[in-house]
């Protein structure tokens, strides 16, 4: 639990402990008052005081039991109920002004703890029973009409029980707010991890595939007489691509994930043609927003990466019109299951997050088709 939430929890609990302590002092004062006035005997005063202090002493424990959850009624709750009933039974037998009927408040103190253990309907029923019983006990003592006494007892029960219930509700609201804040932070961390993993795949997958291809080509050229110059050029390209891959990883780490669509199309054409696949590009990109251009650049890169890694295509076409990208290649017959690749899943997630659509798979004509649509 966060430090601020723990502090709020302790403040709420100690606040209610203070309320219980003040009520205990008030009850002791009333007992001493009626005892000194001779309204009850000393043993009766001691018994009544013991019952009152017992309820007040158990009250903080009852609150702590039901503070974080709604538990089933416990032995402590039943013991506090018996003590409160005993205190009411020991009320002064005659009325002599203020203080006589106030002892009945101990039943509402117990009721305010009981509502934390009971469901709404059970709490209402229990409250009604307590109000009726305390009214029946107070009316003969105060010799007042039962209607105003019943109303006063009902209002006291509602205020005390409702106050304690709101006290716990306040804590649950604070706790849920902090839990939601922590869950949001955890979700943000998880999303950032997913973004980073997806970006590393998207960035390095293409570059490393081209590096692997050019390294293999350079090795073949190095074994041929008179092809040393070509091999050197291919290895220079490998070195350049490795430097670009490192720069792209740094961009991913920093969170700046922008690609230039024209540069990506140019690079994809060069990579595919180096692999022996003729690349035809028909792209109208002038009216696209920067965000749409970046998304389509990611799609072009991922599509080319899959062609290089998973197919032996001899032809690939790339068409872009009004924010809609279509990539076709004729190497589908040797593809294992490209639609299940993490790169395509990551691209689909990226497109969906931006409000676009994405689909990839073989078509009836025997070609592998990648389609991505973004908001132009």
């Amino acid at each position: 639990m966060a430090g601020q939430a723990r502090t709020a929890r302790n403040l709420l609990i100690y606040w209610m402990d203070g309320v219980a302590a003040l009520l205990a002092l008030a009850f002791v004062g009333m007992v001493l008052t009626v005892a000194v006035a001779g309204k009850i005997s000393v043993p009766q005063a001691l018994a009544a005081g013991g019952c009152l202090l017992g309820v007040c002493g158990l009250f903080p424990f009852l609150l702590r039991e039901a503070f974080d959850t709604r538990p089933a009624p416990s032995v402590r709750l039943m013991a506090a109920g018996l003590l409160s009933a005993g205190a009411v039974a020991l009320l002064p037998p005659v009325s002599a002004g203020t203080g006589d009927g106030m002892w009945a408040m101990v039943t509402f103190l117990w009721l305010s703890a009981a509502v934390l253990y009971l469901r709404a309907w059970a709490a209402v029923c229990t409250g009604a029973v307590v109000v009726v019983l305390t009214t029946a006990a107070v009316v003969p003592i105060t010799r007042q009409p039962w209607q105003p006494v019943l109303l006063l007892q009902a209002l006291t029960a509602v205020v005390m029980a409702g106050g304690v219930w709101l006290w716990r509700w306040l804590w649950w609201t604070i706790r849920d707010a902090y839990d939601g804040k922590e869950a949001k932070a955890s979700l943000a961390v998880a999303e950032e991890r997913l973004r980073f993993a997806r970006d590393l795949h998207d960035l390095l997958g293409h570059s490393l595939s081209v590096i692997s291809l050019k390294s293999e080509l350079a090795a073949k050229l190095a074994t041929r007489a008179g092809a040393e110059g070509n091999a050197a050029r291919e290895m220079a390209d490998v070195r350049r691509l490795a430097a670009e891959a490192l720069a792209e990883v740094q961009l991913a780490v920093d969170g700046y994930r922008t690609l230039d669509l024209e540069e990506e199309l140019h690079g994809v054409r060069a990579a595919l043609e180096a692999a022996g696949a003729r690349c035809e590009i028909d792209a109208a990109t002038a009216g696209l927003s920067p965000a749409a251009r970046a998304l389509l650049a990611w799609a072009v890169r991922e599509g080319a990466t899959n062609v290089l890694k998973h197919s032996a295509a001899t032809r690939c076409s790339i068409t872009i019109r009004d924010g809609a990208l279509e990539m076709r290649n004729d190497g589908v017959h040797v593809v294992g299951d490209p639609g299940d690749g993490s790169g395509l899943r990551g691209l689909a997630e990226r497109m969906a997050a931006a409000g676009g659509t994405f689909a990839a798979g073989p078509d009836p004509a025997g070609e592998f088709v990648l389609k991505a649509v973004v908001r132009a």
Side-chain angles (χ1 to χ4, degrees), residues 118-207:
L118 304 174
R119 296 189 179 276
W121 64 270
V124 171
C125 294
T126 303
V129 172
V130 170
V131 168
V132 170
L133 292 179
T134 53
T135 300
V138 171
V139 167
I141 298 170
T142 60
R143 300 177 183 273
Q144 296 178 0
W146 66 269
Q147 294 91 340
V149 174
L150 178 64
L151 179 60
L152 178 62
Q153 301 302 314
L155 289 176
T156 304
V158 170
V159 170
M160 292 186 64
V164 174
W165 183 87
L166 287 174
W167 165 80
R168 186 180 66 176
W169 174 84
L170 177 61
W171 160 242
W172 283 9
T173 301
I174 294 173
R175 181 189 61 187
D176 291 345
Y178 274 96
D179 289 346
K181 183 177 179 180
E182 292 179 357
K184 184 177 180 180
S186 299
L187 180 60
V189 171
E191 289 180 346
E192 182 60 19
R193 287 175 177 172
L194 179 60
R195 178 201 71 81
F196 191 72
R198 183 179 61 203
D199 287 356
L200 281 182
H201 178 277
D202 292 348
L203 290 168
L204 290 182
H206 174 75
S207 298

Side-chain angles (χ1 to χ4, degrees), residues 355-373:
T357 60
F358 174 81
D363 70 351
E367 294 182 325
F368 188 85
V369 183
L370 181 150
K371 293 182 179 182
V373 180

Side-chain angles (χ1 to χ4, degrees), residues 212-236:
S212 175
L213 174 67
K214 286 186 172 292
S215 298
E216 182 181 357
L217 179 58
K220 292 179 180 179
L221 292 173
T223 61
R224 298 178 185 176
E228 293 81 0
N230 292 334
R233 284 194 299 272
E234 294 296 336
M235 290 309 299

